[in-house]
Amino acid sequence: NAGVTQTPKFRVLKTGQSMTLLCAQDMNHEYMYWYRQDPGMGLRLIHYSVGEGTTAKGEVPDGYNVSRLKKQNFLLGLESAAPSQTSVYFCASTEAGRNQETQYFGPGTRLLVL
Amino acid sequence: AQKITQTQPGMFVQEKEAVTLDCTYDTSDPSYGLFWYKQPSSGEMIFLIYQGSYDQQNATEGRYSLNFQKARKSANLVISASQLGDSAMYFCATASNFGNEKLTFGTGTRLTIIP
């Protein structure tokens, strides 16, 4: 049981390049989230999904797009990377409509934009 | 809108002592949850403890307990008998119990345990 996995673990981009971060979960969770973590800022929500085929904006959505074509996968895209998007990105998932004892996080993706 | 405030950027505690990490929150949701996560230097987010807003008793999980004072909008984490492995960043977070359940995090407290 892998839980939540993220691909890649680390990436360096040049300004203007594009990339996609993949999040996969094997727990059959309905809800999935993308957060970014900057120094001294805690985690902030970028986008989230409450089910296959649905997405919604979070606190800091600008410059990112997401897709949830399959229930187990949640993709985060950067169309034109900027240095301000240098951050650690975390994916998380949880069951829907239940007591929230556990929200499972992936190991994170460290992104450096030069 | 929800907001979490953690006023202690860093703390140093002697090994085996108890430590309290402060967290205050602000939310307009009638039903909500409060969470604590640990982030060691390796970077992963580790769930520690959860408290529901309507829970009558404070949550406990092993050496972790949550001191929940609803009227004060306070959800402090207490770690008893601290260990060297407790050295990490600690984040308080909240989420509505209705709908999308997304988390709002505080800025964290860096805890260092001194041998």
Side-chain angles (χ1 to χ4, degrees):
Chain A
N1 192 342
V4 180
T5 58
Q6 293 182 230
T7 308
K9 289 183 170 53
F10 177 70
R11 184 76 183 267
V12 179
L13 288 180
K14 293 181 180 179
T15 297
Q17 288 185 320
S18 64
M19 78 164 294
T20 300
L21 282 69
L22 170 64
C23 175
Q25 52 96 2
D26 60 2
M27 296 170 284
N28 203 36
H29 286 167
E30 285 291 336
Y31 292 179
M32 296 186 73
Y33 313 83
W34 276 107
Y35 297 88
R36 61 177 287 174
Q37 183 179 24
D38 303 307
M41 296 289 289
L43 278 74
R44 293 181 294 167
L45 183 66
I46 305 171
H47 286 280
Y48 63 98
S49 168
V50 298
E52 182 178 319
T54 73
T55 62
K57 293 181 180 179
E59 182 185 353
V60 289
D62 294 341
Y64 304 95
N65 56 75
V66 287
S67 64
R68 183 100 180 266
L69 299 179
K70 293 182 179 181
K71 186 177 183 180
Q72 64 267 33
N73 295 337
F74 195 27
L75 279 62
L76 178 70
L78 287 73
E79 290 187 349
S80 179
S84 61
Q85 294 178 304
T86 293
S87 189
V88 180
Y89 292 86
F90 286 97
C91 177
S93 71
T94 191
E95 292 192 42
R98 290 186 57 184
N99 217 353
Q100 301 179 72
E101 287 97 347
T102 51
Q103 187 167 120
Y104 295 86
F105 280 81
T109 294
R110 189 173 296 274
L111 176 65
L112 174 62
V113 183
L114 301 175
Chain B
Q2 299 155 329
K3 184 178 180 181
I4 294 286
T5 302
Q6 295 181 254
T7 58
Q8 306 155 310
M11 288 187 68
F12 290 85
V13 173
Q14 203 76 36
E15 189 180 7
K16 299 182 183 178
E17 289 186 350
V19 56
T20 298
L21 304 181
D22 294 341
C23 172
T24 58
Y25 62 91
D26 191 14
T27 180
S28 56
D29 294 308
S31 179
Y32 52 91
L34 294 153
F35 304 77
W36 278 92
Y37 285 86
K38 173 184 179 181
Q39 187 177 43
S41 58
S42 53
E44 71 267 33
M45 295 292 288
I46 302 169
F47 167 77
L48 294 178
I49 196 166
Y50 164 85
Q51 177 84 43
S53 60
Y54 285 99
D55 293 342
Q56 296 296 317
Q57 292 188 327
N58 287 343
T60 60
E61 288 287 347
R63 293 187 299 112
Y64 304 108
S65 60
L66 199 152
N67 184 0
F68 181 48
Q69 298 187 50
K70 193 172 183 178
R72 295 186 176 182
K73 294 190 174 182
S74 168
N76 297 341
L77 177 71
V78 180
I79 306 174
S80 63
S82 58
Q83 303 170 356
L84 295 178
D86 295 332
S87 293
M89 282 290 289
Y90 288 81
F91 292 96
C92 180
T94 187
S96 171
N97 280 341
F98 300 106
N100 52 51
E101 302 173 10
K102 58 189 191 297
L103 289 167
T104 298
F105 285 85
T107 54
T109 295
R110 182 171 297 281
L111 176 64
T112 302
I113 306 300
I114 305 167

